[in-house]
Amino acid sequence: MTTLVWSYQDEYAAERVDILDAVDSVFSSGQLILGESVSRFEKEFAAFHGAEHCVGVDNGTNAVKLGLEALGIGEGDEVITVSNTAAPTVVAIVGTGATAKFVDVDPATYLMDTSQLAAAVTDRTRCILPVHLYGQSVPMEPVLKVARAYGLEVLEDCAQAHGARQHGRAVGTAGGAAAFSFYPTKVLGAYGDGGAVLTGRAQVDKNLRRLRYYGMEERYYVDALPGHNSRLDEVQAEILRRRLRRLDGYIAARRAVAARYQEALSDTSLVLPAIEPGNDHVYYLYVVRHPRRDTIIERLRDYDIHLNVSYPWPVHTMAGFAHTEAAKLSLPVTERLAGEIFSLPMYPSLATERQDRVIESLRAVLATVDAG
């Protein structure tokens, strides 16, 4: 029996000719850094979202970090976000010199509980950073309402939600800026690291272009600090340009996988994903919930099925943040979820027969677990 884990190999096999042509086109162009491929991808990615500007950067973490800096967030500021997220979200906040302040998440969708935002604002708060988690959007109107009331910036973390929409509006177009990751497993993934920031504001776009290139507006002359070496690679940009044309297809395939899970598992004891009203979910991950999560995962290994947990440790409980005020927090929903949620295999090339094996094995395990 073959262990069922995600690999890019199937997708690479299907797209190999185009991917290799993308690489060759860049190597043949004579432009390896900030050339035509980056410029074209920025225009095309912005157009896909109906955004004014896109700036390609080297990875999703720096997309968040540079996005914050471009909005003027820095030393001594507070950024309100969630602890139920990938650690890089918070690492990026801390990297600007700001402090992450956490609110809890909604127990049904696992997204930011926007009802807690107003109470979390202090005189140091400068930004709200909603994380569009697992493939769907945080309710943005309550976020924007609080931001307007207190004069705060909004940076959307869209690393897991390429192509998702809320009430018809593309994620990443509601706030002052939005950060994307193109890590290979993402809904739109590169063949290495990559990231981008969208914005509708010309000054933020200008700030981002300076920030990613040492603080320079012209070559060899640093206009202002901070500055970074955070450029999107030309090869990855060309690959992303071509894969962007297939993004709608990737999303359709993910939704088909999710629909099969929904149909096959709706009568089990698993809590299946809940969709926020108005959201078009793109299913970066298919996250389910069960109070005996660890037992289920362990027993599935007997079937040679190895599942992932996203995320087993809330950020505020990690040793790396033990010295911060966040370590003293109690976030009951987030902390409970960390012991119950896990992800089922989810990728566009997941064959029906492989998914059926997951479903059948999972149902068999649940029958024994639920029986005590």
Side-chain angles (χ1 to χ4, degrees):
M1 188 178 293
T2 302
T3 302
L4 199 147
V5 294
W6 181 85
S7 169
Y8 71 89
Q9 297 289 352
D10 289 343
E11 291 169 21
Y12 176 63
E15 301 178 1
R16 181 176 182 274
V17 172
D18 196 31
I19 298 301
L20 293 180
D21 183 67
V23 175
D24 183 67
S25 71
V26 171
F27 287 172
S28 300
S29 72
Q31 294 182 301
L32 300 182
I33 304 294
L34 292 184
E36 285 298 312
S37 290
V38 168
S39 178
R40 288 172 181 168
F41 173 71
E42 289 174 339
K43 291 182 174 67
E44 291 162 12
F45 195 68
F48 179 87
H49 291 85
E52 290 293 322
H53 309 284
C54 171
V55 179
V57 297
D58 53 344
N59 57 64
T61 307
N62 281 338
V64 175
K65 184 173 185 286
L66 271 63
L68 289 168
E69 291 178 348
L71 292 170
I73 309 304
E75 193 73 36
D77 295 333
E78 282 182 349
V79 178
I80 301 175
T81 190
V82 292
S83 185
N84 182 37
T85 184
T89 303
V90 184
V91 169
I93 293 170
V94 174
T96 69
T99 299
K101 184 164 188 179
F102 297 113
V103 295
D104 215 339
V105 295
D106 183 276
T109 63
Y110 319 149
L111 300 167
M112 174 181 277
D113 183 348
T114 58
S115 69
Q116 298 186 18
L117 286 174
V121 176
T122 72
D123 57 3
R124 293 173 52 204
T125 305
R126 292 286 310 284
C127 183
I128 303 173
L129 201 164
V131 180
H132 302 311
L133 199 66
Y134 305 147
Q136 67 169 327
S137 178
V138 172
M140 286 305 296
E141 187 49 44
V143 173
L144 297 173
K145 183 177 179 180
V146 172
R148 287 191 293 264
Y150 293 94
L152 308 178
E153 295 285 4
V154 174
L155 175 70
E156 300 175 67
D157 184 339
C158 304
Q160 300 187 10
H162 310 73
R165 291 180 175 271
Q166 184 171 88
H167 301 297
R169 182 173 189 168
V171 296
T173 60
F180 289 80
S181 167
F182 303 121
Y183 186 79
T185 61
K186 302 300 186 185
V187 180
L188 177 63
Y191 279 73
D193 275 319
V197 185
L198 293 181
T199 183
R201 289 153 55 177
Q203 185 59 53
V204 174
D205 174 68
K206 183 178 180 180
N207 293 347
L208 285 163
R209 294 184 187 281
R210 175 181 55 76
L211 284 163
R212 75 170 176 188
Y213 193 53
Y214 309 112
M216 297 179 183
E217 291 186 21
E218 296 183 16
R219 195 175 182 187
Y220 301 129
Y221 188 88
V222 174
D223 295 271
L225 293 174
H228 310 277
N229 179 6
S230 297
R231 303 167 297 208
L232 177 61
D233 182 77
E234 192 74 359
V235 170
Q236 299 301 340
E238 184 60 30
I239 292 172
L240 287 165
R241 284 190 66 220
R242 298 175 186 222
R243 302 201 82 206
L244 179 60
R245 300 165 194 162
R246 296 188 280 270
L247 179 55
D248 288 338
Y250 301 150
I251 292 171
R254 287 176 178 274
R255 286 174 175 157
V257 171
R260 290 197 296 272
Y261 280 136
Q262 180 69 31
E263 182 178 4
L265 299 171
S266 60
D267 63 340
T268 70
S269 56
L270 291 175
V271 178
L272 303 183
I275 301 178
E276 177 71 23
N279 275 358
D280 294 328
H281 204 311
V282 297
Y283 294 102
Y284 168 59
L285 297 174
Y286 192 88
V287 176
V288 298
R289 182 177 175 185
H290 196 284
R292 298 191 64 189
R293 186 268 313 280
D294 293 344
T295 301
I296 292 168
I297 290 178
E298 182 180 351
R299 292 188 184 178
L300 279 169
R301 294 192 185 107
D302 294 337
Y303 294 83
D304 214 12
I305 293 172
H306 301 261
L307 301 184
N308 188 41
V309 178
S310 301
Y311 299 95
W313 301 286
V315 175
H316 72 286
T317 68
M318 295 180 183
F321 301 96
H323 63 288
T324 70
E325 293 181 10
K328 305 171 187 175
L329 284 176
S330 174
L331 300 172
V333 177
T334 296
E335 290 160 15
R336 181 179 176 187
L337 289 176
E340 297 184 355
I341 55 177
F342 60 108
S343 302
L344 304 187
M346 169 58 73
Y347 47 94
S349 61
L350 179 61
T352 302
E353 58 270 22
R354 289 190 171 191
Q355 187 178 9
D356 286 345
R357 182 158 74 82
V358 174
I359 291 167
E360 291 165 9
S361 303
L362 183 54
R363 290 185 68 92
V365 167
L366 286 169
T368 62
V369 168
D370 293 341

